[in-house]
Amino acid sequence: MGRQEDADALDAELLKRPLPATAVRAMGAWLAGDGARYATGAGAHAVEYVPARWSGVEPWPGPFAERSHAGAATVTRAQAAAAVREAVEGSRWCEALVASYVWGQGRTGYGPHRLQEILAEPGAADVLAASGSALREEGAVAAYRVLYKRLRGLGPAFFTKFLYFLDLARDDPAALRALVLDQRVARVVRAHATRVGLESGLAAAPDAAAWTWSDGGWTPHRYGVYLRWAEAAAGQLASAGIGWPEASPDLLELALFDAVWDPAA
C-alpha cells in the first residue's frame, strides 16, 4: 500500500477501537480522584494568566480581569466560553479570539506579542467571522478549513481553541463538537494509533501514525478523524460505568492533555 492507503487503514482501525481497557481504567481513576471536579464536565478547568502582560492587546474581553492587575488571575473554560459568547453576540470577532487565546496561553510570556501580530493581519476579523458562519452552517471541520493556513501566526493548536469556545458558547453545538487539538494531545493519539495499528497487523503503523499525527499542521481531514475518534471514545467512557459525563469529548481532550493515560505504557 502507499502512504495514504496506510494512513486510511490505520484510521479505520483507530475508529473501530477507540480506547483500550487500560485507558478506561485510567480515566475512571482520574475522575474519581484528581479529576473529581470535572464530574459534570470540563467547564471548571481553569488556567492562570497575568492580566498586566496583555496590556497592549485590544480589544480586551470585558469579563476578563482588568489589566491593571499585576498578579495572577484565573479563567475557567466556562468563563472563557461566556466571554466568547458575549463577544460574538456583538459581532466582536477579534475579541472572541483574544478570550480563547489568553486562556490558551495562560502564563506564557510570548503570547501577547504573537496575538498582536495575528490581530494585525489584514482581514483577520472577516476570516474569524467566516469560520463562525461555517461552524454554524456546516460544522467543525468546515470551520477548521476556513482558518487553516489563513492567518499568519495562528496555527491549529490555537485556532482550534477559538473554535472550541465558539462551539461551546452556542445553543446548538455542532454534531461533531469542535475540540482543541494541540501537540500534547496529538502525541497521545499518535502513540495509541501506533499500538492499535501494530496489534491489527499493520506493519506500517508507526510510520503512518508519525505522519498523520505529527506535532502540528494537521489538515482539515485529520481534524475530522480526531473529532470522530474523540466522539467515539467519549461515548465509550460514558457507557463504561465509571461516572463519565455524557456528551463530553472535551473532558477526554483535557485528560489527554494532562497525560492521564499513556498508550505506550
Side-chain angles (χ1 to χ4, degrees):
M1 290 193 295
R3 196 181 201 190
Q4 187 59 57
E5 289 77 9
D6 288 336
D8 292 342
L10 183 58
D11 288 343
E13 292 299 327
L14 181 68
L15 293 172
K16 284 192 294 187
R17 302 166 57 185
L19 293 173
T22 52
V24 175
R25 288 194 295 269
M27 299 292 176
W30 173 70
L31 197 62
D34 292 344
R37 59 191 180 279
Y38 308 128
T40 59
H45 174 228
V47 299
E48 282 193 350
Y49 67 106
V50 180
R53 290 181 181 170
W54 300 86
S55 59
V57 172
E58 297 292 347
W60 185 249
F64 278 49
E66 292 291 336
R67 286 170 292 176
S68 57
H69 182 62
T74 60
V75 59
T76 66
R77 292 191 181 210
Q79 290 167 336
V84 169
R85 177 192 286 266
E86 181 178 309
V88 170
E89 286 176 348
S91 297
R92 301 188 301 275
W93 292 95
C94 288
E95 183 179 317
L97 175 64
V98 171
S100 66
Y101 201 93
V102 171
W103 179 88
Q105 284 284 2
R107 300 190 64 140
T108 304
Y110 55 76
H113 177 70
R114 286 191 177 178
L115 180 55
Q116 285 176 301
E117 292 183 335
I118 293 165
L119 294 172
E121 281 287 296
D126 292 338
V127 172
L128 296 172
S131 71
S133 295
L135 178 63
R136 182 179 63 253
E137 296 168 8
E138 302 177 69
V141 175
Y144 186 103
R145 189 174 294 111
V146 170
L147 290 171
Y148 185 61
K149 297 183 178 180
R150 287 293 300 277
L151 294 175
R152 185 173 54 182
L154 186 62
F158 276 91
F159 73 63
T160 57
K161 293 176 175 69
F162 170 74
L163 293 178
Y164 166 65
F165 285 115
L166 199 61
D167 197 21
L168 199 63
R170 297 172 63 215
D171 295 326
D172 55 339
L176 274 179
R177 294 290 305 275
L179 299 173
V180 178
L181 177 57
D182 59 20
Q183 183 184 97
R184 287 173 65 167
V185 172
R187 287 180 175 179
V188 177
V189 182
R190 182 195 313 166
H192 175 47
T194 299
R195 189 162 189 167
V196 164
L198 290 174
E199 289 175 353
S200 302
L202 299 175
D207 289 339
W211 178 48
T212 55
W213 301 104
S214 57
D215 280 349
W218 310 284
T219 64
H221 171 76
R222 185 54 33 199
Y223 188 59
V225 173
Y226 166 61
L227 297 187
R228 284 186 286 147
W229 172 80
E231 188 82 12
Q236 180 185 354
L237 291 168
S239 63
I242 60 174
W244 196 269
E246 294 282 349
S248 56
D250 57 341
L251 186 57
L252 172 63
E253 170 262 306
L254 171 59
L256 298 182
F257 182 85
D258 280 352
V260 168
W261 163 58
D262 180 4

